[in-house]
Structures are given as structure tokens and as C-alpha cells.
Amino acid sequence: MTDTKTKILDLAECLTQTNGFNGFSYLDIAEEIGIKGASVHYHFKSKDDLAVALVERLRELHMTIFRQMETSIADPSKRIEAVIMHFQQYAEEDKFCLCGMMAAELYSLSERVSNSLNKYFNDYQNWLTRQFEALGHENATLQAIQFLSALEGSLLLARLRKSPKVVSETMVGFL
Amino acid sequence: MTDTKTKILDLAECLTQTNGFNGFSYLDIAEEIGIKGASVHYHFKSKDDLAVALVERLRELHMTIFRQMETSIADPSKRIEAVIMHFQQYAEEDKFCLCGMMAAELYSLSERVSNSLNKYFNDYQNWLTRQFEALGHENATLQAIQFLSALEGSLLLARLRKSPKVVSETMVGFL
DNA sequence: GTCTATATACAGATAGAC
DNA sequence: GTCTATCTGTATATAGAC
């Protein structure tokens, strides 16, 4: 049985990816997991605290997964392929990227959140750069930022068009 | 002297690009242009009407500009360069793409808006495809969706990092 | 076309009981 | 850790006067 704090984070993550961080309330969270609105404040004093916790949790999770992939998957292009499929899965669930969503909502969020978002994308980009270096690309840094940009943009379009495959179709040829 | 309706649209466009469409209220609009909140409803009965008007106006404007560019700028790669610089300008003003923003906020918007957004991006992509065809690209359709995706994604990252040049640096090599 | 006044709903947040 | 009760602020929207 998962504890309440984790339940809140899981649900908030899902709601942010679909409706945006400003698109749900503490009451939405409370009703869904069966507590009262005030109780959510016990776990996350302010909604800003919740935002920071969401980004930090995802950054740590993704970095752990990325580190594991470097030993469990031998071929770097297969690792990148897995990343593409992960984003396509978001589109299939009518979700956008959590941090992409918050990056769009940037100016309604605090500096703490924007710092966390920057850390997230920097870590992401550095990992991608290492993969493209391993694949022997001339300019791995440029390749990484192009890949990351196209990934975020294609997910935005795929979700709008209700065509998840737009992600993998767009990312073809980035390997 | 611009009329009130145009003033509302101009301000709403700016606010949507910075704070998101759900990030401002009729009262914000009213105070800035010097009328009362209720008066905004006279011009746009519901906020949903305002959303549709914003997207439709921008689609018509951009399509007009694109059509003009095809006669005023001889080199298709110079036309594409102009598009990149237009997006970089957004980043310099701490703005995201209006329709990209609304695409992120998709599930808090009506079907009317999502239909308009789809029309906008389809027209955009078709125009880009024509440019890449004129440049003799093998797969102009793929090139266009990759370009559009990378453009949206790089703007999202450039704005987050407060580095407008990320847009043009990322879009290098897409010509 | 803009105003005042108002209806209704919901947001984030806190105090204090259990 | 969750509750009830409440505060305060703000949102979209409408009716009817000017």
C-alpha cells in the first residue's frame, strides 16, 4: 500500500501532464485519493512545494534510469530509441512531458521551480550528448539539443493531433 | 487609434504567450486597457470565444505573411531563416509560441480551439513542406515536421534558459 | 460601448479539534 | 495524519442602467 504522499505525487504528476500544473487544484487531488483538501496541505504546505517535489522526483528517477541503461543496454542508439518510445507512450496517454508543461507555464511558477526545471533539462541534455559521442557524432552537443527540442515539439504536436506515432515518425533519422 | 476589440486581442495574445491562456483573466485585460471587466464580455462573450479569435487571427496573419514571402523573398532558405528569427524574437521577449502554448493547455480548452490549433499547425507544416520541396529535399514532408517540432521545442528551452540564441543555434543545419 | 452591481463558483491557505 | 470550519481572494459570467 503506497503512502498518501506518494499517491499525491503520482496523481499530481498525471494531472500536470494532462491539464497543466495550473490546471488542477488541491481539491481535485483530495477527492481522487479520498481525503479532504486541507489534508493535502499537510504533505505539501504550498502548491509551490508540490511543484518542486514533482520536478525533483522525476529528475532523480530519470537520471537513475539513464545510468542503469548505460549498463543494461549495450548499443547507445537502442538507449535513445527507448527514450523516444517513452515519449510516444506519453502521447498515447494524452500526456505532455511534465517538465515541458511546466516550462510552458514558466511565468506562473516560482524561481525554485524554474531552477529545478533547468537542472532537469541540463542533466537530460548531458546524457544525450554522451550517447551521441559514443555513437561517434561530429557535434554531439548540437545533436543533443536538436534531439531534445524535436522530442518536446513532436510530443506537443502528436498530442494535439491525437496521433502518438508522430513522435517516432518525427524522431526517425536522429540516430 | 486602434479599437478596443483589437486592443483586447493584442494584449490577450501577449499574455497568452507569456503566462498561458489560463494565466490571465478578463480583469487583467480590462485594467491594462482602462475599461471594466464586464466590458470585455461585450467584445468576447466567453473566454472560449476569445481563444478561438486569437488562434484564427494569428493563422490568417501568418498565412498572409507566408504567401507574401513567397514573392518578396526569392531564396526559400532565406524564408525559413526569417521564420527562425521570428521565433528567436519571441524568446527575446520571454514569450512562447501562442499556439504551442495553447497546445500545451489543450485539455483545458474547448474542441473549437483544438480544431483551430490543428488548422494552424497543418497550414504551417504545409507551407514548410513547400519550402523544403523548392530546396530539393528528398523527403520534404519529414523535414517539415522535424523542423516545426524542433522550432517549438527549442523555443521552449530557450525561454526557460533565458538564452534566445538557443533557437537559432538549434535550428542550424535544418536548411 | 461601457458602466455598476451582483451571482456563483472555486482557488490556495490556515487554525484548531480529534 | 486527517478532519471541520473558515478566511480571503479571484475567476467567469450576466442583468440592467446610462
Side-chain angles (χ1 to χ4, degrees):
Chain A
M1 194 56 182
T2 44
D3 64 346
T4 304
K5 195 159 186 167
T6 305
K7 276 188 199 159
I8 294 172
L9 284 167
D10 289 346
L11 183 57
E13 182 174 298
C14 177
L15 287 169
T16 301
Q17 289 186 262
T18 51
N19 302 334
F21 186 74
N22 298 319
F24 70 90
S25 70
Y26 268 29
L27 204 67
D28 295 328
I29 300 266
E31 280 173 356
E32 179 69 26
I33 69 176
I35 56 173
K36 295 291 168 179
S39 302
V40 182
H41 282 281
Y42 170 80
H43 298 280
F44 299 97
K45 203 162 188 335
S46 74
K47 213 184 169 192
D48 189 58
D49 292 328
L50 176 58
V52 174
L54 280 174
V55 179
E56 285 301 312
R57 185 178 78 146
L58 196 69
R59 187 173 64 86
E60 282 158 23
L61 175 66
H62 279 181
M63 287 311 121
T64 302
I65 292 173
F66 284 174
R67 243 176 271 121
Q68 285 172 351
M69 278 171 72
E70 284 178 319
T71 58
S72 66
I73 304 177
D75 183 357
S77 61
K78 292 283 177 199
R79 296 174 204 154
I80 290 174
E81 217 171 282
V83 170
I84 295 170
M85 284 309 145
H86 182 65
F87 266 64
Q88 180 158 311
Q89 182 62 34
Y90 285 156
E92 276 159 17
E93 295 161 358
D94 294 322
K95 290 176 182 169
F96 187 33
C97 163
L98 177 97
C99 294
M101 184 68 87
M102 287 188 171
E105 297 175 296
L106 190 66
Y107 288 97
S108 65
L109 301 170
S110 72
E111 209 184 315
R112 289 167 66 213
V113 180
S114 109
N115 288 338
S116 284
L117 288 172
N118 268 296
K119 267 200 286 180
Y120 176 88
F121 282 116
N122 287 340
D123 286 358
Y124 215 118
Q125 191 179 332
N126 288 336
W127 182 83
L128 285 168
T129 303
R130 282 204 302 281
Q131 309 314 307
F132 288 122
E133 277 168 356
L135 286 167
H137 274 76
E138 285 290 307
N139 193 338
T141 310
L142 177 61
Q143 186 75 7
I145 182 73
Q146 287 182 336
F147 180 92
L148 188 53
S149 296
L151 196 60
E152 292 288 337
S154 66
L155 178 54
L156 201 62
L157 291 171
R159 192 175 73 126
L160 174 64
R161 291 175 174 165
K162 302 196 179 300
S163 304
K165 282 192 179 167
V166 165
V167 175
S168 52
E169 284 165 5
T170 301
M171 299 311 292
V172 157
F174 268 95
L175 297 173
Chain B
M1 194 58 183
T2 42
D3 64 347
T4 304
K5 194 158 187 166
T6 306
K7 277 187 200 160
I8 293 171
L9 285 167
D10 289 344
L11 183 57
E13 181 173 298
C14 178
L15 287 169
T16 301
Q17 290 187 260
T18 50
N19 303 334
F21 187 73
N22 298 320
F24 69 90
S25 70
Y26 269 30
L27 205 67
D28 295 328
I29 300 266
E31 280 173 357
E32 179 70 26
I33 69 176
I35 56 172
K36 296 290 168 182
S39 302
V40 182
H41 283 280
Y42 170 80
H43 299 281
F44 300 96
K45 203 161 189 333
S46 74
K47 213 184 168 193
D48 189 58
D49 292 329
L50 176 57
V52 173
L54 280 173
V55 179
E56 284 302 313
R57 186 178 75 145
L58 196 69
R59 187 173 65 85
E60 282 158 23
L61 175 66
H62 280 180
M63 287 310 120
T64 302
I65 292 173
F66 285 173
R67 245 177 269 120
Q68 285 171 352
M69 278 171 71
E70 284 178 319
T71 57
S72 64
I73 304 178
D75 183 356
S77 61
K78 293 281 178 199
R79 295 174 205 153
I80 290 174
E81 218 171 282
V83 170
I84 294 171
M85 285 309 146
H86 181 67
F87 266 63
Q88 180 157 311
Q89 182 63 34
Y90 284 156
E92 277 158 16
E93 296 162 357
D94 294 322
K95 290 176 183 168
F96 187 34
C97 162
L98 178 96
C99 295
M101 184 67 88
M102 287 189 169
E105 297 175 294
L106 189 67
Y107 288 96
S108 65
L109 301 170
S110 72
E111 208 183 316
R112 288 169 64 214
V113 181
S114 110
N115 287 339
S116 284
L117 289 171
N118 268 297
K119 266 200 286 181
Y120 176 88
F121 283 115
N122 286 341
D123 286 358
Y124 215 118
Q125 189 179 332
N126 288 336
W127 182 83
L128 285 169
T129 303
R130 281 204 303 282
Q131 309 314 306
F132 289 121
E133 278 168 356
L135 286 167
H137 274 76
E138 283 291 306
N139 193 337
T141 309
L142 177 61
Q143 186 76 5
I145 182 74
Q146 287 183 337
F147 180 93
L148 188 54
S149 296
L151 196 61
E152 292 288 338
S154 66
L155 178 53
L156 201 63
L157 291 171
R159 192 175 73 125
L160 173 65
R161 291 177 173 163
K162 303 196 177 298
S163 305
K165 280 190 180 170
V166 165
V167 174
S168 53
E169 284 165 5
T170 301
M171 299 311 291
V172 158
F174 269 96
L175 297 171

